[in-house]
Amino acid sequence: MDDMLKDFVVEAMDLAVNVEEHLLRLERDPDNKETLNAVFRSFHTIKGGAGFMGLPALVAACHLTENLFDALRTGAAPVTPIAIEAALQASGFVADQLTELANGAAPESLPAMPEELEHILTNAIEGKGMDAPAPAAAVVAEAAAPVAEVVVVAPAAAVSTASADGLDWEGMYNAVVPAGSQVAAAPVSAVAAAPAVVAAAPAAAAAVAKPAAKAWDGAERREERPEVRHAAPVKEDSIRVDAVKLDALLEVAGESVQAANQAAVLLERLLQFKFEGQAATLMATLAETLERASRYSTELQRATLATRMQPVGRLFQKFPRLVRELAKDLGKDVELTIEGAETEVDRVVVDSLYDPLVHMLRNSLDHGVESPEARLAAGKPAKSYISLKAWQEANSVMIVLQDDGKGMDPAFLRSKAQQKGLISENAQLSNDECFQLVFLPGFSTKEVASSVSGRGVGMDVVKTAVEKNRGAIHIESSLGKGTKFAIRLPIELSIVPTMLVSTSGAALALPMAVVQRVVELPETFMEVGGAPVLKDQGRPLPVRSLAGALGYESCSERVGIVVAAPQPYILAVEAVDGTADLVIKPMTAITVEGITGTARSAEGELVLVVGLSFLMDGCRGSVRMAA
């Protein structure tokens, strides 16, 4: 794909996504003129670029949709469900064509606009229903078949087709599409159109014979005005950069910070020796230079991170239409509300969260919310609500998906897992552990798989994707009231604020996102059910050994870290060695439960990074499958 086409596809895809959002808003507020104009402008912009790039199917779809919204905004046609459905289908067709181009398809290999789409758009323009007959223009074309070349041009020459903005859309459209797909300019009756076609033949032939320079070539131009002819070019405020280059830049920035920190530690050790004369002067200069280099490398790191941050709204805006269509297929009345779309998170996180959130929404629609009849029988409103929220919390981003459906039954989940052989018959699980069963591979409460869910792979994908991004997911549910999925993710992935600890001779790092405070541990503990417990700020918290959780040899652990998990506890370690922002390297060759990556400390020592999900789950892995 050449650069011009690539730029067009990127910009057009952004417009197509915004169009869907506007259409769903218009469905709720049909009289919103601003939304009507926004959709019209988007299709108009895409059509102009598509014409310049030689994409006739895109031009045809955008042209008809543009005509529809011109009619809607001028009041010539009503804003009906048929009109919204027609526009959504056109938006989907445009998105499909752009996706094929983005995946490397040649422009000439793209399919033509489906007849069904043309039919529904034409009916919507004329204010007809879904089953209305084909437009009269088709009869005109058939009747005038012997003079096909004349029919293409004659309406544009004989009939005024200028819209409210003074532009001849039909003439411009006919100039950029192949002869076989051109359309008549005005919806006239077959009886009245036939004589006009024949009478206009000489004028049409003359129009064809005119120099090509006067025909529209797909690029929109305005009449030049003397006062702006010599205006300075518009300054570009942004440029496009490949994500791979940004990743490489962040890698270099992180390593430079680590190198600067390591050099600072070495300099501190050198300054313990006594230097005199010129050596002392050189050491002072070296300290000053290193301090400046460290400051600039930190600024470089911060600036690089900022370039990778993107609002989660870029991800969230794809979901209203998904929920609308799934709810329609399932016969449910569901409204999705979105909050915190402006919350920023690392680009990699945004890109990797689409599939997990889709699985969660599908499960919420299929398993969570009830049918309107069931909700009314249970004393609930017929319409159900799903909310998707995002916000920053310390060094993390919280994404919460919540519904007001029937909730999850822990006993039923445990029974299903036992039937499928995923847990042993004698397993004693708490309610929270029963909720975690939905993340086991192969687990499903559906007896028969459907097109929406039931194959036991969705929620497993969710947990895997979240933990891959060093995040954690937690479930809360109440029978009859609904279910909440809470995802906690680091704001950025490569550089993580951590607390350095040591236990059993191993250097470890804990994400600061879950660290509340450090406490001193006594020699002996109170016990509840045979497990050690310590009172912290008046509440009894269980004490768990980090060495024991990771399978290390036991040691004297006299320092406790209060962990901010859904079920808070105290993590016992041998010593706390300070805090540091570490460049995390994922572990790819081996998998160690509880360890999510490695890093280098300022002293150059290898540090193992304990996983956020592992800590949030109480320093234990997920419920294990039966052997």
Side-chain angles (χ1 to χ4, degrees):
M1 187 178 357
D2 61 50
D3 291 341
M4 289 183 64
L5 183 58
K6 185 176 181 180
D7 288 343
F8 162 72
V9 169
V10 172
E11 293 171 4
M13 289 182 82
D14 289 341
L15 287 171
V17 171
N18 291 332
V19 162
E20 289 193 357
E21 184 180 349
H22 288 316
L23 289 174
L24 295 175
R25 187 183 306 155
L26 191 64
E27 190 175 39
R28 298 190 296 269
D29 184 11
D31 298 325
N32 193 320
K33 296 294 184 183
E34 184 179 344
T35 305
L36 283 169
N37 289 329
V39 176
F40 177 86
R41 287 193 300 269
S42 295
F43 278 106
H44 171 64
T45 304
I46 295 174
K47 185 183 80 169
F52 185 75
M53 293 295 165
L55 304 169
L58 267 180
V59 171
C62 290
H63 174 72
L64 280 177
T65 314
E66 192 178 33
N67 283 352
L68 168 61
F69 275 85
D70 190 42
L72 296 179
R73 66 179 187 165
T74 57
V79 180
T80 61
I82 298 301
I84 299 295
E85 185 63 32
L88 282 170
Q89 288 190 24
S91 174
F93 173 73
V94 169
D96 289 344
Q97 293 245 318
L98 294 172
T99 301
E100 289 192 37
L101 288 172
N103 291 333
E108 59 271 14
S109 68
L110 297 179
M113 180 175 66
E115 292 183 5
E116 296 82 1
L117 177 57
E118 182 178 0
H119 182 60
I120 188 175
L121 283 169
T122 305
N123 285 345
I125 293 171
E126 298 177 359
K128 298 179 181 178
M130 290 287 288
D131 298 322
V139 181
V140 177
E142 184 176 355
V147 286
E149 291 80 1
V150 177
V151 172
V152 170
V153 184
V159 183
S160 175
T161 61
S163 61
D165 55 7
L167 295 177
D168 181 5
W169 297 111
E170 319 303 340
M172 292 188 287
Y173 168 65
N174 288 335
V176 298
V177 299
S181 60
Q182 292 172 333
V183 297
V188 294
S189 66
V191 177
V197 168
V198 178
V208 172
K210 288 182 179 180
K214 293 187 179 180
W216 189 60
D217 59 0
E220 182 178 335
R221 298 179 175 86
R222 303 288 186 186
E223 182 179 352
E224 290 188 353
R225 298 180 180 178
E227 63 272 16
V228 298
R229 185 176 301 170
H230 303 292
V234 178
K235 181 181 178 182
E236 292 287 346
D237 292 328
S238 62
I239 60 172
R240 298 187 185 278
V241 180
D242 286 342
V244 175
K245 293 180 180 178
L246 281 180
D247 293 341
L249 180 60
L250 181 62
E251 180 84 10
V252 173
E255 291 297 342
S256 69
V257 171
Q258 289 293 94
N261 292 341
Q262 219 168 331
V265 171
L266 294 174
L267 179 62
E268 185 178 350
R269 292 178 180 176
L270 278 175
L271 291 176
Q272 295 176 0
F273 298 94
K274 185 176 181 180
F275 294 91
E276 297 179 352
Q278 189 176 3
T281 304
L282 287 173
M283 288 301 296
T285 305
L286 176 61
E288 180 184 345
T289 304
L290 182 58
E291 189 276 333
R292 189 167 66 253
S294 179
R295 184 171 67 251
Y296 287 145
S297 63
T298 302
E299 288 297 326
L300 172 63
Q301 179 193 64
R302 187 177 295 114
T304 306
L305 287 175
T307 63
R308 286 168 54 103
M309 303 298 284
Q310 292 189 349
V312 293
R314 171 174 163 265
L315 177 68
F316 287 0
Q317 65 187 357
K318 302 176 182 178
F319 296 136
R321 183 177 181 184
L322 171 71
V323 170
R324 175 186 182 273
E325 293 180 351
L326 277 178
K328 185 178 178 182
D329 292 343
L330 295 170
K332 297 179 179 180
D333 189 4
V334 183
E335 182 175 330
L336 175 67
T337 60
I338 293 176
E339 297 180 25
E342 72 283 354
T343 305
E344 290 192 333
V345 71
D346 192 288
R347 175 193 62 81
V348 176
V349 174
V350 173
D351 292 342
S352 62
L353 276 182
Y354 177 74
D355 285 341
L357 286 175
V358 166
H359 283 300
M360 292 167 66
L361 282 168
R362 292 167 73 92
N363 274 275
S364 183
L365 284 161
D366 196 19
H367 297 282
V369 300
E370 312 95 328
S371 64
E373 298 78 14
R375 290 179 66 85
L376 290 173
K380 293 183 176 182
K383 176 181 284 189
S384 54
Y385 292 89
I386 298 177
S387 66
L388 186 59
K389 302 178 182 179
W391 69 90
Q392 282 192 12
E393 190 173 280
N395 295 311
S396 301
V397 169
M398 296 296 299
I399 297 177
V400 173
L401 179 69
Q402 186 170 7
D403 65 59
D404 64 347
K406 59 187 177 183
M408 299 166 66
D409 184 353
F412 178 68
L413 295 176
R414 182 171 57 249
S415 173
K416 276 291 181 181
Q418 289 171 344
Q419 289 177 21
K420 293 177 177 292
L422 299 176
I423 60 174
S424 66
E425 294 289 337
N426 301 320
Q428 300 296 320
L429 305 178
S430 66
N431 285 351
D432 282 342
E433 289 172 334
C434 288
F435 295 148
Q436 294 294 315
L437 291 171
V438 302
F439 296 121
L440 290 177
F443 181 87
S444 176
T445 57
K446 280 270 190 178
E447 297 295 341
V448 179
S450 68
S451 61
V452 178
S453 63
R455 301 191 184 277
V457 295
M459 298 308 290
D460 176 36
V461 170
V462 171
K463 189 171 181 68
T464 301
V466 170
E467 292 185 347
K468 182 180 178 182
N469 290 316
R470 293 197 289 278
I473 183 168
H474 179 68
I475 302 176
E476 296 178 15
S477 187
S478 178
L479 277 175
K481 296 183 179 179
T483 303
K484 178 170 75 172
F485 292 87
I487 300 175
R488 181 189 291 267
L489 293 160
I491 292 179
E492 53 83 18
L493 293 178
S494 297
I495 303 170
V496 180
T498 63
M499 174 172 282
L500 301 176
V501 302
S502 56
T503 192
S504 297
L508 301 163
L510 311 178
M512 287 294 293
V514 295
V515 175
Q516 281 193 333
R517 60 188 161 276
V518 178
V519 298
E520 185 178 355
L521 300 182
E523 292 285 342
T524 58
F525 298 93
M526 297 185 297
E527 290 191 357
V528 175
V533 172
L534 178 67
K535 275 196 174 183
D536 175 67
Q537 297 184 343
R539 57 178 180 173
L541 296 179
V543 180
R544 295 180 183 137
S545 165
L546 181 58
L550 295 176
Y552 293 167
E553 293 181 0
S554 58
C555 61
S556 176
E557 295 175 314
R558 289 293 171 259
V559 181
I561 299 171
V562 181
V563 177
Q567 302 295 328
Y569 64 96
I570 295 176
L571 184 63
V573 299
E574 194 171 358
V576 172
D577 302 322
T579 61
D581 291 345
L582 299 181
V583 179
I584 308 298
K585 305 288 186 182
M587 295 177 62
T588 55
I590 59 174
T591 301
V592 179
E593 185 177 13
I595 303 299
T596 189
T598 62
R600 290 281 178 185
S601 67
E603 292 80 9
E605 182 182 8
L606 182 66
V607 176
L608 299 178
V609 182
V610 182
L612 179 65
S613 180
F614 182 74
L615 294 171
M616 295 286 285
D617 289 341
C619 266
R620 55 178 177 266
S622 303
V623 178
R624 299 180 185 276
M625 295 177 62

